[in-house]
Amino acid sequence: MEDRGEGEEPAAGLHFVGTKEDLIKAKRSFRTLEGRDILVLYHQEIFYALDFHCYHAGGPLQNGDIEEFDGKLCIVCPKHKYKISLAEGEGIYRATNPYAPVPTTRWYSKGIKQRVHTVTETDGDVYVTLSHMSRFIESDYFQGEKGKVERERM
Ligand code: FES
């Protein structure tokens, strides 16, 4: 990473994660911010930042494919193939309701399961502001000590 010049400290809560050029080259970058493991990724000219460990069982999202499902760009966890929307951290899945008069397969949402963070760019530098959504989000578990032990065990 590039050295920050004197007097160029980012505003409180903003974490410098790299130059735009370096992050584009890397495509996917691991960072630890305030003790939290984050994946910063660049896809189709947009930066995203989300918790690094999958909400399901702590899988490494860095190695997941990115595909569109139900009109949403998602990362597919390499461990058990759960799909997580990049923009919202929503868990989505495809299923058939056997009780429907005419059972048809469609996409469903589990709601927000993966914590996503805000990415901003200034003069070729990229910053992440951690999400401060106060409610527990499932991916939070794998950022804690208990979760770290468990994800290494799996
Ligand atoms: Fe990601 Fe199971 S750990 S789908």
Side-chain angles (χ1 to χ4, degrees), residues 1 7 9 11 19 22 25 27 40 48 66 69-70 72 90 92 96 100 107-108 116-117 120 123 144 146 149:
M1 267 194 269
E9 285 303 310
T19 64
D22 287 347
K25 233 182 269 169
K27 286 194 179 121
V40 179
Y48 300 90
I66 296 175
F69 301 101
D70 199 25
K72 295 169 187 165
E90 187 183 6
I92 66 165
T96 305
W107 289 98
Y108 291 88
V116 296
H117 309 280
T120 48
D123 299 330
K146 215 172 150 192
V149 171

PDB file of all heavy atoms in Angstrom, residues 1 7 9 11 19 22 25 27 40 48 66 69-70 72 90 92 96 100 107-108 116-117 120 123 144 146 149:
ATOM      1  N   MET A   1       0.826  -1.204   0.000  1.00  0.00           N
ATOM      2  CA  MET A   1       0.000   0.000   0.000  1.00  0.00           C
ATOM      3  C   MET A   1       0.859   1.252   0.000  1.00  0.00           C
ATOM      4  O   MET A   1       1.943   1.263   0.542  1.00  0.00           O
ATOM      5  CB  MET A   1      -0.898   0.007   1.236  1.00  0.00           C
ATOM      6  CG  MET A   1      -2.246  -0.595   0.956  1.00  0.00           C
ATOM      7  SD  MET A   1      -3.401  -0.231   2.268  1.00  0.00           S
ATOM      8  CE  MET A   1      -3.153  -1.635   3.314  1.00  0.00           C
ATOM      9  N   GLY A   7      -0.721  15.174   6.818  1.00  0.00           N
ATOM     10  CA  GLY A   7      -1.891  16.030   6.626  1.00  0.00           C
ATOM     11  C   GLY A   7      -2.936  15.411   5.715  1.00  0.00           C
ATOM     12  O   GLY A   7      -3.884  16.054   5.331  1.00  0.00           O
ATOM     13  N   GLU A   9      -4.593  12.476   6.468  1.00  0.00           N
ATOM     14  CA  GLU A   9      -5.296  11.432   7.222  1.00  0.00           C
ATOM     15  C   GLU A   9      -6.770  11.415   6.828  1.00  0.00           C
ATOM     16  O   GLU A   9      -7.398  12.474   6.720  1.00  0.00           O
ATOM     17  CB  GLU A   9      -5.173  11.697   8.726  1.00  0.00           C
ATOM     18  CG  GLU A   9      -3.797  11.372   9.275  1.00  0.00           C
ATOM     19  CD  GLU A   9      -3.359   9.943   9.017  1.00  0.00           C
ATOM     20  OE1 GLU A   9      -4.135   9.022   9.309  1.00  0.00           O
ATOM     21  OE2 GLU A   9      -2.253   9.752   8.490  1.00  0.00           O
ATOM     22  N   ALA A  11     -10.833  10.931   7.164  1.00  0.00           N
ATOM     23  CA  ALA A  11     -11.783  11.280   8.226  1.00  0.00           C
ATOM     24  C   ALA A  11     -12.024  10.069   9.119  1.00  0.00           C
ATOM     25  O   ALA A  11     -11.829   8.928   8.691  1.00  0.00           O
ATOM     26  CB  ALA A  11     -13.086  11.737   7.577  1.00  0.00           C
ATOM     27  N   THR A  19      -4.810   1.880  -3.226  1.00  0.00           N
ATOM     28  CA  THR A  19      -5.099   2.770  -4.356  1.00  0.00           C
ATOM     29  C   THR A  19      -6.068   2.032  -5.278  1.00  0.00           C
ATOM     30  O   THR A  19      -6.070   0.787  -5.332  1.00  0.00           O
ATOM     31  CB  THR A  19      -3.825   3.123  -5.139  1.00  0.00           C
ATOM     32  OG1 THR A  19      -3.301   1.929  -5.709  1.00  0.00           O
ATOM     33  CG2 THR A  19      -2.789   3.786  -4.241  1.00  0.00           C
ATOM     34  N   ASP A  22      -4.183  -0.358  -7.611  1.00  0.00           N
ATOM     35  CA  ASP A  22      -3.730  -1.620  -7.008  1.00  0.00           C
ATOM     36  C   ASP A  22      -4.899  -2.574  -6.738  1.00  0.00           C
ATOM     37  O   ASP A  22      -4.800  -3.776  -6.939  1.00  0.00           O
ATOM     38  CB  ASP A  22      -2.978  -1.358  -5.694  1.00  0.00           C
ATOM     39  CG  ASP A  22      -1.605  -0.764  -5.940  1.00  0.00           C
ATOM     40  OD1 ASP A  22      -1.141  -0.785  -7.098  1.00  0.00           O
ATOM     41  OD2 ASP A  22      -1.005  -0.258  -4.971  1.00  0.00           O
ATOM     42  N   LYS A  25      -6.123  -4.139  -9.916  1.00  0.00           N
ATOM     43  CA  LYS A  25      -5.186  -5.176 -10.345  1.00  0.00           C
ATOM     44  C   LYS A  25      -5.390  -6.455  -9.528  1.00  0.00           C
ATOM     45  O   LYS A  25      -5.408  -7.560 -10.055  1.00  0.00           O
ATOM     46  CB  LYS A  25      -3.749  -4.669 -10.161  1.00  0.00           C
ATOM     47  CG  LYS A  25      -2.904  -4.788 -11.422  1.00  0.00           C
ATOM     48  CD  LYS A  25      -1.496  -4.319 -11.181  1.00  0.00           C
ATOM     49  CE  LYS A  25      -1.352  -2.834 -11.487  1.00  0.00           C
ATOM     50  NZ  LYS A  25      -0.089  -2.247 -11.033  1.00  0.00           N
ATOM     51  N   LYS A  27      -8.082  -7.342  -7.877  1.00  0.00           N
ATOM     52  CA  LYS A  27      -9.485  -7.782  -7.980  1.00  0.00           C
ATOM     53  C   LYS A  27     -10.100  -8.108  -6.620  1.00  0.00           C
ATOM     54  O   LYS A  27     -11.196  -7.706  -6.316  1.00  0.00           O
ATOM     55  CB  LYS A  27      -9.651  -8.962  -8.931  1.00  0.00           C
ATOM     56  CG  LYS A  27      -9.523  -8.572 -10.379  1.00  0.00           C
ATOM     57  CD  LYS A  27     -10.023  -9.682 -11.281  1.00  0.00           C
ATOM     58  CE  LYS A  27      -9.916  -9.263 -12.721  1.00  0.00           C
ATOM     59  NZ  LYS A  27      -9.098 -10.100 -13.546  1.00  0.00           N
ATOM     60  N   VAL A  40     -12.394  -6.892   0.037  1.00  0.00           N
ATOM     61  CA  VAL A  40     -12.663  -5.766  -0.864  1.00  0.00           C
ATOM     62  C   VAL A  40     -12.557  -6.331  -2.266  1.00  0.00           C
ATOM     63  O   VAL A  40     -11.543  -6.964  -2.600  1.00  0.00           O
ATOM     64  CB  VAL A  40     -11.637  -4.625  -0.684  1.00  0.00           C
ATOM     65  CG1 VAL A  40     -11.915  -3.480  -1.656  1.00  0.00           C
ATOM     66  CG2 VAL A  40     -11.635  -4.121   0.761  1.00  0.00           C
ATOM     67  N   TYR A  48     -16.798  -3.365  -3.947  1.00  0.00           N
ATOM     68  CA  TYR A  48     -17.672  -3.851  -2.881  1.00  0.00           C
ATOM     69  C   TYR A  48     -16.792  -4.215  -1.689  1.00  0.00           C
ATOM     70  O   TYR A  48     -15.628  -4.597  -1.870  1.00  0.00           O
ATOM     71  CB  TYR A  48     -18.419  -5.118  -3.310  1.00  0.00           C
ATOM     72  CG  TYR A  48     -19.305  -4.942  -4.518  1.00  0.00           C
ATOM     73  CD1 TYR A  48     -18.807  -5.156  -5.806  1.00  0.00           C
ATOM     74  CD2 TYR A  48     -20.640  -4.566  -4.377  1.00  0.00           C
ATOM     75  CE1 TYR A  48     -19.615  -4.996  -6.927  1.00  0.00           C
ATOM     76  CE2 TYR A  48     -21.447  -4.403  -5.499  1.00  0.00           C
ATOM     77  CZ  TYR A  48     -20.934  -4.622  -6.773  1.00  0.00           C
ATOM     78  OH  TYR A  48     -21.735  -4.468  -7.871  1.00  0.00           O
ATOM     79  N   ILE A  66     -18.488 -15.053  -8.950  1.00  0.00           N
ATOM     80  CA  ILE A  66     -19.515 -14.012  -8.937  1.00  0.00           C
ATOM     81  C   ILE A  66     -20.453 -14.257 -10.104  1.00  0.00           C
ATOM     82  O   ILE A  66     -20.016 -14.413 -11.248  1.00  0.00           O
ATOM     83  CB  ILE A  66     -18.879 -12.608  -9.010  1.00  0.00           C
ATOM     84  CG1 ILE A  66     -18.045 -12.378  -7.747  1.00  0.00           C
ATOM     85  CG2 ILE A  66     -19.955 -11.527  -9.161  1.00  0.00           C
ATOM     86  CD1 ILE A  66     -17.269 -11.092  -7.729  1.00  0.00           C
ATOM     87  N   PHE A  69     -27.975 -13.734 -10.007  1.00  0.00           N
ATOM     88  CA  PHE A  69     -29.143 -14.571  -9.730  1.00  0.00           C
ATOM     89  C   PHE A  69     -30.291 -13.640  -9.415  1.00  0.00           C
ATOM     90  O   PHE A  69     -30.129 -12.718  -8.597  1.00  0.00           O
ATOM     91  CB  PHE A  69     -28.903 -15.482  -8.514  1.00  0.00           C
ATOM     92  CG  PHE A  69     -27.731 -16.413  -8.680  1.00  0.00           C
ATOM     93  CD1 PHE A  69     -26.518 -16.124  -8.075  1.00  0.00           C
ATOM     94  CD2 PHE A  69     -27.839 -17.563  -9.448  1.00  0.00           C
ATOM     95  CE1 PHE A  69     -25.431 -16.979  -8.226  1.00  0.00           C
ATOM     96  CE2 PHE A  69     -26.756 -18.425  -9.601  1.00  0.00           C
ATOM     97  CZ  PHE A  69     -25.549 -18.129  -8.990  1.00  0.00           C
ATOM     98  N   ASP A  70     -31.419 -13.884 -10.020  1.00  0.00           N
ATOM     99  CA  ASP A  70     -32.615 -13.086  -9.763  1.00  0.00           C
ATOM    100  C   ASP A  70     -32.325 -11.582  -9.903  1.00  0.00           C
ATOM    101  O   ASP A  70     -32.786 -10.771  -9.106  1.00  0.00           O
ATOM    102  CB  ASP A  70     -33.123 -13.396  -8.338  1.00  0.00           C
ATOM    103  CG  ASP A  70     -34.579 -12.992  -8.167  1.00  0.00           C
ATOM    104  OD1 ASP A  70     -35.314 -12.928  -9.180  1.00  0.00           O
ATOM    105  OD2 ASP A  70     -34.980 -12.728  -7.020  1.00  0.00           O
ATOM    106  N   LYS A  72     -29.590 -10.075  -9.246  1.00  0.00           N
ATOM    107  CA  LYS A  72     -28.659  -9.553  -8.239  1.00  0.00           C
ATOM    108  C   LYS A  72     -27.292 -10.182  -8.426  1.00  0.00           C
ATOM    109  O   LYS A  72     -27.188 -11.410  -8.557  1.00  0.00           O
ATOM    110  CB  LYS A  72     -29.160  -9.908  -6.830  1.00  0.00           C
ATOM    111  CG  LYS A  72     -30.453  -9.237  -6.494  1.00  0.00           C
ATOM    112  CD  LYS A  72     -31.053  -9.791  -5.229  1.00  0.00           C
ATOM    113  CE  LYS A  72     -32.434  -9.180  -5.051  1.00  0.00           C
ATOM    114  NZ  LYS A  72     -33.245  -9.854  -4.083  1.00  0.00           N
ATOM    115  N   GLU A  90     -27.456 -10.016   1.114  1.00  0.00           N
ATOM    116  CA  GLU A  90     -28.673 -10.826   1.247  1.00  0.00           C
ATOM    117  C   GLU A  90     -28.383 -12.277   0.861  1.00  0.00           C
ATOM    118  O   GLU A  90     -27.697 -12.532  -0.128  1.00  0.00           O
ATOM    119  CB  GLU A  90     -29.677 -10.211   0.268  1.00  0.00           C
ATOM    120  CG  GLU A  90     -31.061 -10.734   0.310  1.00  0.00           C
ATOM    121  CD  GLU A  90     -31.919 -10.061  -0.782  1.00  0.00           C
ATOM    122  OE1 GLU A  90     -31.381  -9.284  -1.612  1.00  0.00           O
ATOM    123  OE2 GLU A  90     -33.108 -10.369  -0.801  1.00  0.00           O
ATOM    124  N   ILE A  92     -29.671 -15.514  -0.805  1.00  0.00           N
ATOM    125  CA  ILE A  92     -30.785 -15.870  -1.685  1.00  0.00           C
ATOM    126  C   ILE A  92     -30.683 -17.349  -2.074  1.00  0.00           C
ATOM    127  O   ILE A  92     -29.594 -17.911  -2.104  1.00  0.00           O
ATOM    128  CB  ILE A  92     -30.891 -14.961  -2.930  1.00  0.00           C
ATOM    129  CG1 ILE A  92     -29.696 -15.127  -3.855  1.00  0.00           C
ATOM    130  CG2 ILE A  92     -31.048 -13.510  -2.553  1.00  0.00           C
ATOM    131  CD1 ILE A  92     -29.970 -14.536  -5.236  1.00  0.00           C
ATOM    132  N   THR A  96     -38.798 -24.572  -4.464  1.00  0.00           N
ATOM    133  CA  THR A  96     -40.171 -24.784  -4.911  1.00  0.00           C
ATOM    134  C   THR A  96     -41.053 -24.932  -3.679  1.00  0.00           C
ATOM    135  O   THR A  96     -40.728 -25.699  -2.769  1.00  0.00           O
ATOM    136  CB  THR A  96     -40.257 -26.073  -5.755  1.00  0.00           C
ATOM    137  OG1 THR A  96     -39.314 -25.960  -6.813  1.00  0.00           O
ATOM    138  CG2 THR A  96     -41.638 -26.276  -6.329  1.00  0.00           C
ATOM    139  N   ALA A 100     -47.916 -24.844  -2.929  1.00  0.00           N
ATOM    140  CA  ALA A 100     -48.564 -23.958  -3.896  1.00  0.00           C
ATOM    141  C   ALA A 100     -49.444 -24.797  -4.824  1.00  0.00           C
ATOM    142  O   ALA A 100     -49.113 -25.956  -5.121  1.00  0.00           O
ATOM    143  CB  ALA A 100     -47.499 -23.226  -4.706  1.00  0.00           C
ATOM    144  N   TRP A 107     -36.892 -17.747  -6.871  1.00  0.00           N
ATOM    145  CA  TRP A 107     -35.882 -17.274  -5.919  1.00  0.00           C
ATOM    146  C   TRP A 107     -36.543 -16.727  -4.668  1.00  0.00           C
ATOM    147  O   TRP A 107     -37.572 -16.064  -4.754  1.00  0.00           O
ATOM    148  CB  TRP A 107     -35.014 -16.183  -6.564  1.00  0.00           C
ATOM    149  CG  TRP A 107     -34.098 -16.758  -7.600  1.00  0.00           C
ATOM    150  CD1 TRP A 107     -34.303 -16.781  -8.944  1.00  0.00           C
ATOM    151  CD2 TRP A 107     -32.854 -17.420  -7.368  1.00  0.00           C
ATOM    152  NE1 TRP A 107     -33.260 -17.421  -9.563  1.00  0.00           N
ATOM    153  CE2 TRP A 107     -32.344 -17.811  -8.625  1.00  0.00           C
ATOM    154  CE3 TRP A 107     -32.108 -17.720  -6.228  1.00  0.00           C
ATOM    155  CZ2 TRP A 107     -31.138 -18.498  -8.768  1.00  0.00           C
ATOM    156  CZ3 TRP A 107     -30.902 -18.391  -6.369  1.00  0.00           C
ATOM    157  CH2 TRP A 107     -30.435 -18.775  -7.628  1.00  0.00           C
ATOM    158  N   TYR A 108     -35.927 -17.009  -3.539  1.00  0.00           N
ATOM    159  CA  TYR A 108     -36.390 -16.487  -2.253  1.00  0.00           C
ATOM    160  C   TYR A 108     -35.224 -15.771  -1.574  1.00  0.00           C
ATOM    161  O   TYR A 108     -34.060 -16.055  -1.866  1.00  0.00           O
ATOM    162  CB  TYR A 108     -36.840 -17.633  -1.327  1.00  0.00           C
ATOM    163  CG  TYR A 108     -38.095 -18.321  -1.787  1.00  0.00           C
ATOM    164  CD1 TYR A 108     -38.023 -19.402  -2.670  1.00  0.00           C
ATOM    165  CD2 TYR A 108     -39.346 -17.916  -1.327  1.00  0.00           C
ATOM    166  CE1 TYR A 108     -39.186 -20.049  -3.097  1.00  0.00           C
ATOM    167  CE2 TYR A 108     -40.504 -18.556  -1.746  1.00  0.00           C
ATOM    168  CZ  TYR A 108     -40.414 -19.624  -2.630  1.00  0.00           C
ATOM    169  OH  TYR A 108     -41.557 -20.253  -3.053  1.00  0.00           O
ATOM    170  N   VAL A 116     -22.205  -5.982   4.928  1.00  0.00           N
ATOM    171  CA  VAL A 116     -21.511  -5.278   3.845  1.00  0.00           C
ATOM    172  C   VAL A 116     -21.112  -3.892   4.338  1.00  0.00           C
ATOM    173  O   VAL A 116     -21.744  -3.326   5.234  1.00  0.00           O
ATOM    174  CB  VAL A 116     -22.364  -5.167   2.557  1.00  0.00           C
ATOM    175  CG1 VAL A 116     -22.664  -6.529   1.963  1.00  0.00           C
ATOM    176  CG2 VAL A 116     -23.642  -4.411   2.805  1.00  0.00           C
ATOM    177  N   HIS A 117     -20.064  -3.364   3.767  1.00  0.00           N
ATOM    178  CA  HIS A 117     -19.479  -2.107   4.216  1.00  0.00           C
ATOM    179  C   HIS A 117     -19.462  -1.107   3.054  1.00  0.00           C
ATOM    180  O   HIS A 117     -19.587  -1.499   1.901  1.00  0.00           O
ATOM    181  CB  HIS A 117     -18.078  -2.374   4.771  1.00  0.00           C
ATOM    182  CG  HIS A 117     -18.081  -3.490   5.778  1.00  0.00           C
ATOM    183  ND1 HIS A 117     -18.474  -3.306   7.091  1.00  0.00           N
ATOM    184  CD2 HIS A 117     -17.811  -4.827   5.650  1.00  0.00           C
ATOM    185  CE1 HIS A 117     -18.415  -4.467   7.731  1.00  0.00           C
ATOM    186  NE2 HIS A 117     -18.025  -5.405   6.881  1.00  0.00           N
ATOM    187  N   THR A 120     -15.695   4.044  -0.628  1.00  0.00           N
ATOM    188  CA  THR A 120     -15.652   5.350  -1.289  1.00  0.00           C
ATOM    189  C   THR A 120     -14.280   5.533  -1.929  1.00  0.00           C
ATOM    190  O   THR A 120     -13.304   4.928  -1.498  1.00  0.00           O
ATOM    191  CB  THR A 120     -15.907   6.494  -0.280  1.00  0.00           C
ATOM    192  OG1 THR A 120     -15.076   6.300   0.869  1.00  0.00           O
ATOM    193  CG2 THR A 120     -17.340   6.565   0.156  1.00  0.00           C
ATOM    194  N   ASP A 123      -9.685  10.745  -5.211  1.00  0.00           N
ATOM    195  CA  ASP A 123      -8.409  10.970  -5.898  1.00  0.00           C
ATOM    196  C   ASP A 123      -7.599   9.687  -6.086  1.00  0.00           C
ATOM    197  O   ASP A 123      -6.400   9.658  -5.783  1.00  0.00           O
ATOM    198  CB  ASP A 123      -7.559  11.993  -5.113  1.00  0.00           C
ATOM    199  CG  ASP A 123      -8.250  13.345  -5.011  1.00  0.00           C
ATOM    200  OD1 ASP A 123      -9.018  13.679  -5.937  1.00  0.00           O
ATOM    201  OD2 ASP A 123      -8.030  14.047  -4.013  1.00  0.00           O
ATOM    202  N   GLY A 144     -15.932 -13.124  15.560  1.00  0.00           N
ATOM    203  CA  GLY A 144     -15.640 -13.247  16.989  1.00  0.00           C
ATOM    204  C   GLY A 144     -14.704 -14.416  17.261  1.00  0.00           C
ATOM    205  O   GLY A 144     -14.480 -15.256  16.393  1.00  0.00           O
ATOM    206  N   LYS A 146     -15.079 -17.097  19.166  1.00  0.00           N
ATOM    207  CA  LYS A 146     -15.743 -18.400  19.075  1.00  0.00           C
ATOM    208  C   LYS A 146     -15.884 -18.825  17.607  1.00  0.00           C
ATOM    209  O   LYS A 146     -15.621 -19.968  17.241  1.00  0.00           O
ATOM    210  CB  LYS A 146     -17.133 -18.293  19.732  1.00  0.00           C
ATOM    211  CG  LYS A 146     -17.558 -19.536  20.452  1.00  0.00           C
ATOM    212  CD  LYS A 146     -18.835 -19.249  21.205  1.00  0.00           C
ATOM    213  CE  LYS A 146     -19.641 -20.525  21.290  1.00  0.00           C
ATOM    214  NZ  LYS A 146     -21.011 -20.270  21.744  1.00  0.00           N
ATOM    215  N   VAL A 149     -12.523 -19.920  15.992  1.00  0.00           N
ATOM    216  CA  VAL A 149     -12.154 -21.284  16.370  1.00  0.00           C
ATOM    217  C   VAL A 149     -12.977 -22.267  15.543  1.00  0.00           C
ATOM    218  O   VAL A 149     -12.452 -23.216  14.961  1.00  0.00           O
ATOM    219  CB  VAL A 149     -12.384 -21.511  17.887  1.00  0.00           C
ATOM    220  CG1 VAL A 149     -12.227 -22.984  18.252  1.00  0.00           C
ATOM    221  CG2 VAL A 149     -11.439 -20.642  18.703  1.00  0.00           C
TER     222      VAL A 149
END
